[in-house]
Amino acid sequence: MSAVIETQGLTKRYGQVVAVDDLNLRLSAGEVFGMLGPNGSGKTTTILMLLGLTEPTSGTARVLGEDPARNPLAVKRRVGYLPDSVGFYDELTARENLGYTASLNGMSAKEADARIDEVLTRMGLRDVADRLAGAYSRGMRQRLGLADVLLKRPQVAILDEPTIGLDPEAAHEFLDMIRGLKADGLTVLLSSHLLHQVQVICDRVGLFSKGKMVLEGTVEGLSQQVLGGAYRITVETVGEDIERALTGIPGALRVTRQRPGVYVLDTKEDVRGEVARRVAATRANLIGIALERTSLGDVYTRYFHEGAPA
Amino acid sequence: MMKREGTPRREGSPWTGLWAVVMKEMADHLSSVRMRLLEGLILLVAIGTVYAAIQALRTTVSEDPFLFLRLFTVSRSEGRDLSFVSFLGFLIPLTGIALGFDAINGEHNRRTLSRVLSQPIYRDALLLGKFLGGLFTIAIMLLALWLLVTGLGIFRLGVIPSGEEVGRGLLFMMATVAYAGIWLVLAQCFSVIFRQPSTSALAAIAVWLFFAVFWGIVADILVQIVRPAEFPGDDLGQAQLALALSRLSPNTLYAEMLAAFLNPNVRFLSPVLITQLEGAIRAPLPLSQSLMLVWPQLAGLISAVLLLFAVTYMYFQRQEVRA
């Protein structure tokens, strides 16, 4: 598949501060890519460079085959951008706000009217389209923002912190809408620090820290890399020498004692059977055994709080 | 593709989307409360001063070929200048500043800037569109005002303006738009530099006050320092220096243009010796000659607008988009 977004050695410096450091990113068509990282890790700067709103200090970017620093108009015609905490003209109605975007995109009045109706309906804002944008709630504004992105029929949608400030219900709804974009064949690049939300919709994830993309891959792949395992088995038992018995299990990468009688295993695969046999062999009482898939949150926490593994 | 050195040349027209911005800005301005207040104020002043001028003109019996121009310049009370143009010289900067002081930082604070700039337009179009939108708004307002005053004049004086009076009136409008432009672009420049709209408004008003009130005083002091009057012949040099200094103020340039456009009897704007006037025919100047008289002023004012716009543009291009 051809790359929709591709950067090579993309770097941005503000004086001494390196905001983005030698970034190599590649997004294929139809992919949902999540940029994860704490605030100030270079996610927004990367996005601005991809849109040609900030010039890279060095390195190159290609969006849909165009260089955003050289031909930003061609890029921006085909890429929709939802800034973090998007703003609208409060004294205009939602429809008028979108009308301005449509005219900036050179749409005719007739085309714009039809298109605005279409995106507002899709975002569930049709009934409140003629209300002032200033009267919109946070969730409605965010949906209006997405309507604004879709207005120009983009091939790529770049969403910066799309769920920030939304209540769980609204965030869930919004994530569904983003999933809908993928179904339409759009390539989506989104940035967030809310991991559990990202991992449910992203095909691939990049972990950003201090301007560098330190890890990149699918959610499962990252778990493998960082935790060394993708599964976590919790064993509850009463008995002696359990820890030693559990250490030798093939596929188990590490065993930690969480508290007396509770052991946690990071494993590559589901080895519950083997765990149960070994515990039974020590003549200990097996009280409980539970399996969970490690979430990206664990990866994130492990990575940023315990330092990168060697 | 060949790797280019330095800043890559950008492609696509910088004017893409310009008219969308201009139309949006004009719609905003024309419907804003801010503009309605100013329009109301200016209308009241216009009606008041022009009505007073009409009263004064009706009592004069002397024949005046430029009756309509007098509507703008005649003030009834002696001593104090209460003419229409003197008020306009005061209200136009205020309008210009009011339309420009939150042009860019307002977008920043509403967090609309990055959304607008992520549309297929360059920053050039946004900045120029905002400037032109403001300027056209002022031009429309002034044109309506001029027509209103002229209509009032026809109605109350019972005479029709001559072609030359119309021409001079239009040039007066043009000069006023240029004068408004300088305050508009100054306010926009501050709106790029300062993040708070209140700061940029205050800064623009401070500059205006400086030129309106203090520049005359400063210029006088400077003249005394640079060219102290020691010999009788120094007077002329002093006067010329004082004039040159005062012409750094847009207010002076505007006042001189008004004098030339609205009063055809004004033949010179700089000090001249009596000997230079020898043989001159005492007659009003034709329009083309009046225009020639203030051509440097008009050109100076417009180039000052362009210069300030260039500075604003430079600042804006270097600014980070993120809030």
Side-chain angles (χ1 to χ4, degrees):
Chain A
M1 261 192 286
S2 63
V4 170
I5 295 178
E6 190 169 23
T7 72
Q8 275 170 0
L10 198 66
T11 303
K12 178 72 183 177
R13 278 193 204 92
Y14 293 107
Q16 291 294 308
V17 185
V18 183
V20 176
D21 193 0
D22 192 26
L23 178 70
N24 296 302
L25 192 68
R26 200 186 142 93
L27 263 77
S28 309
E31 192 176 26
V32 179
F33 187 87
M35 300 163 75
L36 273 180
N39 295 327
S41 55
K43 293 170 292 170
T44 301
T45 308
T46 304
I47 290 174
L48 292 181
M49 282 192 284
L50 290 177
L51 287 164
L53 294 178
T54 288
E55 284 194 6
T57 311
S58 63
T60 56
R62 281 273 179 280
V63 179
L64 296 161
E66 298 283 354
D67 181 354
R70 191 181 151 90
N71 197 354
L73 296 193
V75 171
K76 292 193 280 187
R77 250 188 287 274
R78 293 149 76 195
V79 178
Y81 170 49
L82 179 67
D84 81 300
S85 47
V86 60
F88 289 96
Y89 300 104
D90 289 347
E91 69 281 2
L92 300 182
T93 66
R95 199 185 288 278
E96 285 166 343
N97 267 295
L98 294 189
Y100 185 37
T101 304
S103 66
L104 287 175
N105 278 284
M107 285 187 205
S108 69
K110 204 176 149 199
E111 186 190 357
D113 280 348
R115 191 77 193 123
I116 288 169
D117 264 344
E118 192 184 322
V119 291
L120 283 174
T121 309
R122 176 159 178 194
M123 290 298 127
L125 293 169
R126 182 93 194 258
D127 299 335
V128 287
D130 294 309
R131 257 195 240 167
L132 294 183
Y136 269 33
S137 70
R138 188 80 187 79
M140 285 156 82
R141 286 172 90 84
Q142 207 65 13
R143 277 188 280 157
L144 184 57
L146 199 53
D148 191 66
V149 165
L150 293 180
L151 195 62
K152 58 178 144 184
R153 299 182 197 276
Q155 287 166 264
V156 180
I158 299 183
L159 316 172
D160 198 356
E161 299 281 3
T163 54
I164 200 166
L166 297 183
D167 60 66
E169 178 71 18
H172 187 75
E173 232 174 81
F174 202 75
L175 289 177
D176 271 347
M177 286 172 175
I178 296 173
R179 213 175 272 139
L181 301 186
K182 181 182 161 64
D184 284 358
L186 265 80
T187 309
V188 180
L189 174 68
L190 66 89
S191 92
S192 181
H193 61 265
L194 298 170
L195 315 145
H196 57 285
Q197 292 181 350
V198 168
Q199 74 174 343
V200 299
I201 55 167
C202 290
D203 301 323
R204 273 192 316 134
V205 183
L207 250 64
F208 280 68
S209 172
K210 297 189 184 98
K212 279 186 183 295
M213 188 160 73
V214 288
L215 278 177
E216 187 253 302
T218 59
V219 175
E220 288 80 12
L222 283 187
S223 305
Q224 290 276 0
Q225 278 184 51
V226 178
L227 300 174
Y231 295 90
R232 169 171 289 189
I233 297 169
T234 310
V235 185
E236 220 176 317
T237 170
V238 180
E240 305 282 314
D241 254 0
I242 305 291
E243 202 161 339
R244 200 157 51 93
L246 293 178
T247 352
I249 296 179
L253 292 150
R254 68 172 149 183
V255 180
T256 41
R257 201 176 76 145
Q258 214 169 39
R259 51 176 199 268
V262 178
Y263 301 88
V264 175
L265 282 84
D266 290 316
T267 62
K268 276 187 184 148
E269 53 213 283
D270 184 359
V271 289
R272 276 178 294 181
E274 181 64 21
V275 169
R277 268 194 296 283
R278 290 203 176 203
V279 172
T282 63
R283 303 196 152 276
N285 289 329
L286 184 59
I287 297 168
I289 186 162
L291 176 84
E292 65 182 300
R293 299 282 302 271
T294 44
S295 74
L296 209 49
D298 298 326
V299 176
Y300 189 77
T301 320
R302 195 67 70 91
Y303 199 86
F304 288 109
H305 294 276
E306 296 174 12
Chain B
M1 180 176 251
M2 233 175 68
K3 201 170 154 56
R4 298 178 70 96
E5 293 296 313
T7 315
R9 250 185 81 84
R10 52 181 204 183
E11 287 166 11
S13 164
W15 314 125
T16 315
L18 176 67
W19 289 107
V21 179
V22 172
M23 296 318 281
K24 155 83 164 58
E25 287 300 311
M26 280 176 70
D28 277 1
H29 287 323
L30 291 172
S31 62
S32 71
V33 178
R34 195 186 295 175
M35 197 62 200
R36 291 219 183 117
L37 284 174
L38 282 168
E39 278 166 355
L41 192 64
I42 291 173
L43 197 66
L44 277 181
V45 167
I47 291 173
T49 53
V50 171
Y51 195 80
I54 289 170
Q55 297 291 21
L57 289 175
R58 276 151 74 104
T59 56
T60 55
V61 284
S62 63
E63 212 170 291
D64 191 334
F66 297 104
L67 203 56
F68 268 91
L69 300 178
R70 298 282 176 276
L71 281 179
F72 299 105
T73 50
V74 164
S75 58
R76 199 155 60 148
S77 66
E78 295 299 317
R80 281 178 64 83
D81 186 8
L82 294 176
S83 68
F84 177 55
V85 287
S86 69
F87 277 103
L88 214 53
F90 177 79
L91 288 169
I92 285 299
L94 198 65
T95 313
I97 291 170
L99 293 187
F101 77 91
D102 63 348
I104 300 299
N105 53 19
E107 299 267 350
H108 249 302
N109 293 340
R110 279 181 291 188
R111 297 178 159 278
T112 45
L113 190 63
S114 49
R115 193 170 58 82
V116 169
L117 288 181
S118 75
Q119 306 308 327
I121 60 163
Y122 278 116
R123 295 184 193 199
D124 314 40
L126 186 70
L127 195 65
L128 188 63
K130 279 184 172 279
F131 175 67
L132 290 181
L135 207 62
F136 289 165
T137 308
I138 292 172
I140 288 175
M141 184 189 80
L142 285 172
L143 194 66
L145 201 64
W146 177 65
L147 289 174
L148 201 73
V149 169
T150 308
L152 202 65
I154 295 173
F155 187 62
R156 299 289 300 175
L157 294 171
V159 284
I160 293 169
S162 67
E164 182 167 345
E165 280 173 311
V166 172
R168 282 178 179 274
L170 282 175
L171 278 174
F172 154 62
M173 283 296 130
M174 249 188 65
T176 310
V177 170
Y179 181 56
I182 196 142
W183 298 107
L184 180 67
V185 77
L186 181 79
Q188 287 194 342
C189 186
F190 285 140
S191 88
V192 172
I193 296 171
F194 299 113
R195 199 41 74 83
Q196 291 300 324
S198 49
T199 314
S200 56
L202 272 178
I205 288 174
V207 172
W208 169 50
L209 274 181
F210 174 76
F211 279 123
V213 181
F214 300 112
W215 183 239
I217 302 167
V218 174
D220 276 349
I221 295 169
L222 279 178
V223 167
Q224 296 303 332
I225 294 168
V226 177
R227 252 200 139 111
E230 285 161 358
F231 306 104
D234 288 343
D235 287 358
L236 182 63
Q238 256 195 345
Q240 277 169 340
L241 181 64
L243 191 64
L245 282 176
S246 80
R247 276 179 181 157
L248 292 178
S249 157
N251 299 28
T252 309
L253 297 182
Y254 180 57
E256 288 182 342
M257 280 194 285
L258 290 194
F261 286 143
L262 294 180
N263 188 354
N265 291 315
V266 170
R267 308 173 59 87
F268 43 82
L269 297 163
S270 310
V272 281
L273 297 174
I274 297 285
T275 51
Q276 287 174 297
L277 287 176
E278 234 169 70
I281 306 157
R282 289 190 66 81
L285 287 181
L287 177 54
S288 60
Q289 292 302 309
S290 287
L291 183 60
M292 220 135 98
L293 187 63
V294 288
W295 192 249
Q297 275 83 350
L298 188 61
L301 203 58
I302 291 174
S303 50
V305 171
L306 294 180
L307 193 71
L308 264 174
F309 186 80
V311 170
T312 314
Y313 179 81
M314 203 182 71
Y315 269 108
F316 187 47
Q317 289 291 344
R318 292 177 175 194
Q319 205 168 51
E320 283 300 317
V321 175
R322 85 167 67 197

